[in-house]
Amino acid sequence: MTAYEVNIPDQIGVIVLIFVQSEKHLARYLHLIRDSPVYPVWYDSNEQVLSLPPIINSEHSKINLNTRNIFIELTALDETKLAIVLNIVCIMFAEYCEVPFTVEPVRLVWPDGKETITPDLSSRAMTASAEYINSCTGVSLSALEISDLLKRMTLEAQPSSSNPDEILVQVPAWRPDILHECDIMEDAAIAYGFNNLPKTFPTTNTVAQQLPVSKLCDVVRREWAYAGWVEVLPLILCSHDENFAWMNRKDDCTQVVKLANPKSQEYQVVRTSLLPGLLKTVRENKAHPLPIKVFETSDIVIKDSTAERETRNIRHAAAVWCNKTAGFEVVHGLFDRIMAMLEVPRIADEKKESAKFGYYLREIDDPTFFPGRAASIVYRSGAEEEELNLGVLGILHPTVLTNFEIPYPCSALEFNLEPFLKAGKEPWE
C-alpha cells in the first residue's frame, strides 16, 4: 500500500531543493512547488519516500537491472491527459512483463471516499457510417469490408445488426487519437492504401487566379527589384519590445495580437509593422557592403472586434535604406516611383485645396523617426472629402538604430497597399 500526501519540506526527510537547483534538467520544474508551503510526496507502507512529484524520484525507488516489479505513478493537472499517458505507458511496459500484456491495477482512494481503479484499459464504443467513409475515400466498400480494414488498424469493428450502413467500432485505450468519425475514416483509408484510392475529378470545376491584392504586391515587388532593392521575408512573429519599445512606440493594447503562451521571448506578438523585421535583417547583414537596400510586401495583423476572428490582416509595403548617409531622398524617390506605376499623381502644394485624387507628404512628429525628418503619406482616392493616412517615411531615430545594433544611419518607408485596390468583385464571387 502506498500513500500520496502533502507535507511541509522539513517533514519529508529528503534534502532535494539544493540538488535540484544544481541540475539543469530538473531546475526548470522547480517553480511548480518552490513557493508552495507544502510539497506532494509518495510514501510506501514503511513510510519510505518513493517520489517527490513532479520533480524527482528517490534513490530507494530507482530502477536497475535487477528490478522485477515496477510501480508507475504519474502526476498531472489534467485528469484526461493523465489517463491517456498512463494507459500508453502501462501498455508499453506490459509488453516486457513475465506474462506479456498483464497489468496489475491500483485502487485509488480519494479524500472524499471515492474509489477508482487505474489504469482504465477499457475500450470506447463509437459508430461510423459506411456511406460516409465511401464518400470521403471514393471507394465502394460494404460495412463488412470496412470492418476488416479497421481491424488491421487495431480497431475492433463489426457491422451493426440493425443498420446495414452502421459500423460498430471499439477504440482501444492506446488509441487516444481517435476522436471523431473522420478519424475512423482516415484509418480505413490508410488500411486500404492511399495509393490505391481511385483518382477522380471534382464534381465542380474552378479556375484558380491571383487575388487582386497579390497582383498589386507583384507590381511593387517588380518595380522595387528593378530599382536594385532586395526583397526579404522576415517572420510575422516578433517580440513585444521589437514591435514597440525598440521602435520608440507605446502599446495601447488596442491593436496588437499577443500570443497566450509564447515559446520564447522572440515570438510574443504578431507584428503591427514591417519595419522591425527589416531592421533585424539589416542588423544580421550589416557586414555586407553598403548600401543595404531591403524591402518587403506582406501582411501585418491588428485587432478588429467587427471581424469574425476579431483580427484583420492588412497588406503593407516597407523598405529600409542603410548607408553612411541617411538617404531620405532615396526612399522618397522609391515611393514616388511606385506611385507613378500605380498611376497616382503627386499633389503639388498649390493644388492641395482643390485636388481630389493623388498623394502628398505632410510633416509629422513620430518618435520612430528623427525630429523634423519624418512625413506621413496622405492619399486622396477621388471621393468627396476623403483623405487617408497611408503610412510614413523618414530618417530613423538614433535610439531606434541603437536598439537594433545598426551602426549606420537609415531611412525607412512603410505604407498600406490596400487603398489602391480597384473596386470590383473578388475572384470567387
Side-chain angles (χ1 to χ4, degrees):
M1 179 178 177
T2 61
Y4 186 64
E5 302 177 4
V6 290
N7 277 325
I8 60 176
D10 294 340
Q11 292 179 344
I12 293 177
V14 292
I15 304 175
V16 68
L17 290 183
I18 298 177
F19 170 74
V20 170
Q21 288 174 342
S22 63
E23 287 289 324
K24 63 179 181 179
H25 299 297
L26 299 177
R28 71 176 104 175
Y29 304 108
L30 187 57
H31 70 278
L32 296 173
I33 64 171
R34 188 203 309 270
D35 300 325
S36 175
V38 292
Y39 293 166
V41 59
W42 273 105
Y43 292 105
D44 65 8
S45 57
N46 298 322
E47 292 296 315
Q48 176 70 47
V49 174
L50 300 178
S51 173
L52 185 68
I55 305 299
I56 191 173
N57 293 326
S58 71
E59 185 71 21
H60 174 72
S61 60
K62 185 176 181 179
I63 294 178
N64 55 47
L65 295 177
N66 298 320
T67 300
R68 292 296 177 265
N69 297 304
I70 298 176
F71 175 71
I72 299 175
E73 59 91 5
L74 281 79
T75 303
L77 300 176
D78 188 304
E79 188 173 357
T80 300
K81 295 177 181 178
L82 177 66
I84 290 173
V85 175
L86 177 63
N87 289 344
I88 293 176
V89 172
C90 287
I91 292 168
M92 292 176 64
F93 263 101
E95 181 181 358
Y96 306 100
C97 291
E98 183 177 5
V99 179
F101 301 107
T102 57
V103 177
E104 183 176 339
V106 175
R107 181 170 57 91
L108 300 181
V109 181
W110 298 85
D112 59 0
K114 181 182 72 173
E115 295 186 4
T116 56
I117 303 297
T118 61
D120 181 9
L121 299 179
S122 59
S123 57
R124 293 180 289 116
M126 295 183 65
T127 61
S129 167
E131 181 182 2
Y132 168 75
I133 294 175
N134 286 329
S135 65
C136 291
T137 57
V139 298
S140 298
L141 300 177
S142 65
L144 180 60
E145 291 172 318
I146 295 176
S147 299
D148 292 337
L149 293 176
L150 294 176
K151 290 177 182 178
R152 294 165 58 182
M153 302 298 293
T154 71
L155 302 178
E156 290 296 327
Q158 62 180 6
S160 171
S161 58
S162 59
N163 185 352
D165 182 61
E166 188 178 52
I167 303 172
L168 306 179
V169 182
Q170 292 292 326
V171 182
W174 59 85
R175 291 299 305 274
D177 58 308
I178 304 295
L179 300 175
H180 310 286
E181 186 179 12
C182 62
D183 300 315
I184 298 175
M185 177 272 297
E186 182 185 14
D187 268 20
I190 293 173
Y192 189 85
F194 286 142
N195 292 333
N196 299 325
L197 295 176
K199 299 176 179 62
T200 59
F201 282 101
T203 55
T204 57
N205 294 324
T206 59
V207 179
Q209 63 177 345
Q210 264 187 313
L211 294 173
V213 69
S214 298
K215 290 183 179 180
L216 180 60
C217 285
D218 285 346
V219 174
V220 178
R221 290 190 182 103
R222 184 167 52 249
E223 291 304 319
W224 284 1
Y226 288 164
W229 292 63
V230 178
E231 184 177 14
V232 297
L233 298 171
L235 298 175
I236 196 170
L237 299 179
C238 62
S239 73
H240 187 274
D241 285 344
E242 290 169 351
N243 199 69
F244 291 104
W246 290 12
M247 299 294 294
N248 290 343
R249 293 170 177 169
K250 294 183 179 180
D251 179 13
D252 58 6
C253 299
T254 61
Q255 288 195 324
V256 67
V257 177
K258 299 179 182 179
L259 275 65
N261 186 24
K263 181 68 174 178
S264 68
Q265 292 185 350
E266 192 175 0
Y267 309 115
Q268 294 175 317
V269 300
V270 186
R271 64 186 179 185
T272 59
S273 170
L274 301 183
L275 291 181
L278 291 176
L279 292 175
K280 287 195 292 183
T281 302
V282 173
R283 178 189 65 194
E284 300 303 324
N285 294 275
K286 58 189 176 184
H288 284 212
L290 297 176
I292 298 175
K293 304 180 290 183
V294 293
F295 75 92
E296 181 186 9
T297 59
S298 190
D299 285 349
I300 66 163
V301 179
I302 63 171
K303 291 181 180 178
D304 185 356
S305 58
T306 62
E308 180 183 1
R309 299 182 182 276
E310 298 189 1
T311 60
R312 180 162 53 92
N313 287 25
I314 305 175
R315 189 64 57 91
H316 273 206
V320 170
W321 163 281
C322 179
N323 201 357
K324 293 182 180 179
T325 57
F328 177 82
E329 70 283 358
V330 178
V331 295
H332 192 330
L334 188 70
F335 178 72
D336 287 343
R337 174 59 182 169
I338 201 60
M339 289 296 100
M341 294 306 301
L342 295 175
E343 299 180 350
V344 179
R346 186 174 185 273
I347 301 175
D349 292 342
E350 61 272 13
K351 295 183 179 181
K352 286 183 180 179
E353 298 296 329
S354 59
K356 295 184 178 180
F357 178 68
Y359 75 96
Y360 66 92
L361 302 182
R362 177 190 296 154
E363 184 178 348
I364 59 170
D365 289 327
D366 189 323
T368 301
F369 298 93
F370 198 85
R373 296 293 186 271
S376 66
I377 304 166
V378 181
Y379 172 63
R380 293 177 180 173
S381 63
E384 290 292 336
E385 299 181 357
E386 182 182 14
E387 278 194 351
L388 298 177
N389 188 0
L390 286 184
V392 294
L393 76 159
I395 300 173
L396 290 174
H397 198 282
T399 57
V400 174
L401 300 177
T402 301
N403 291 333
F404 285 94
E405 303 176 8
I406 299 175
Y408 304 106
C410 294
S411 291
L413 156 71
E414 182 173 8
F415 64 98
N416 184 357
L417 282 173
E418 295 187 0
F420 300 110
L421 291 173
K422 297 185 183 295
K425 291 186 176 181
E426 296 290 351
W428 55 83
E429 294 180 333

